[in-house]
Amino acid sequence: MHLASYSVQLQDKKVKCTLCPHLCVLAEGKQGICRVRKNEGGMLVTEIYGKACCLRFDPIEKKPLYHFYPGSVILSVGSVGCNLRCKFCQNWEISQTCAEDYPYIKPVTAEEIIKMARERQDNVGIAYTYNEPIVWFEFMLDIAKNSKDAGMKNVMVSNGYVNATPLAELIEYMDAFNIDLKAFTDDFYKRVTSARLQPVKDTILMIRKHNRHLELTHLVVTGLNDQEDQFEEMVKWIGGELGPETPLHLSRYFPNFEMENKATPLTKLLQLYELATHYLHHVYLGNVAADEGRITTCPECGANLIERIGYSTYKKGLDASGKCRKCGRIVISNI
Ligand code: SF4
């Protein structure tokens, strides 16, 4: 067992976890909401340090990150557990379980992961993804710290539900984030994810303040977060607080886990896409075959810079430094 960070010991061998805003107080032998941090003999431990269930090279576009080394691959690592319980979770087999109940979880060291990442020439770094990486904070941080020395970029794909102090520690070693902004009302977060909106907004603002590469994902769920007025409020906030250059990925929902609402109609997705483009320069569509939302254009002159077919990327309109070939505007800083 590996001792967990961010814990406070209480009376009667209880322990409080301060990693995420749930602030679970655990009696001896109990797990937190995330199912992977546990009170053992009055100490908080992580049950998934040095364990992974997914380890493979993915196109970076799959994270999704469209403006961070476009066209590269990234070694993607995942484990089990999550501090949210989204009723529509697309990865519930790994997110809503614990280490002892999941047969495919395997021991692996940070050194082995870094060695694997270095072996492939076109690999840009390591992505912490698939399940929520916040809940394996200690292992992620150790991999990120050690891989920095090997020249690796570190990418976190997260729900953003983390407290400010551990986030500050992570930001130091992370190069890029994709944060899932699931809705723009606290009511949605409470009813559908068992969490709250404000901590996620705080995370996003802190990442922006520290000038790390940031992209956002928003899953449009039929009947739950597809109202235009709420959506418009969200994209206005993104444009105003984070800047219109912030890439936003609108993803199509399909029924999964505990949610049976119908798949997002393509017309609805296109309608919201159109609305978002009034506030943001780079809006993309995911989980869908459509002509819209797969091309990066220059906000200055409108030229097509990057075209995508599936996960293949064609950077015809960009020069080697990420500038638009037509007007010279810098569009992609990390290329
Ligand atoms: S990380 Fe897990 S144990 Fe810690 S507060 Fe969050 S849900 Fe609870």
Side-chain angles (χ1 to χ4, degrees), residues 262-312:
K262 286 184 186 154
T264 324
L266 188 54
T267 48
K268 170 56 78 176
L269 209 60
L270 291 173
Q271 199 183 345
L272 298 181
Y273 166 82
E274 172 65 24
L275 181 52
T277 58
H278 293 186
Y279 298 95
L280 303 170
H281 295 325
H282 305 293
V283 185
Y284 300 106
L285 296 181
N287 271 351
V288 73
D291 288 340
E292 294 83 352
R294 58 181 183 82
I295 297 175
T296 301
T297 54
C298 176
E300 196 70 39
C301 70
N304 283 3
L305 305 181
I306 309 177
E307 298 191 12
R308 302 174 183 85
I309 300 173
Y311 291 120
S312 299

Side-chain angles (χ1 to χ4, degrees), residues 17-24 26 32-34 37 83 134-135:
C17 176
T18 59
L19 178 60
C20 92
H22 286 306
L23 300 173
C24 299
L26 309 174
I33 289 171
C34 58
R37 295 166 82 80
N83 52 351
I134 293 294
V135 304

Side-chain angles (χ1 to χ4, degrees), residues 69 114 118 123-126 144-154 175:
Y69 298 96
I114 295 164
R118 293 182 73 178
N123 178 48
V124 75
I126 301 170
K145 278 180 183 172
N146 291 311
S147 70
K148 273 273 171 217
D149 298 338
M152 295 283 122
K153 302 294 177 195
N154 284 282
D175 299 283

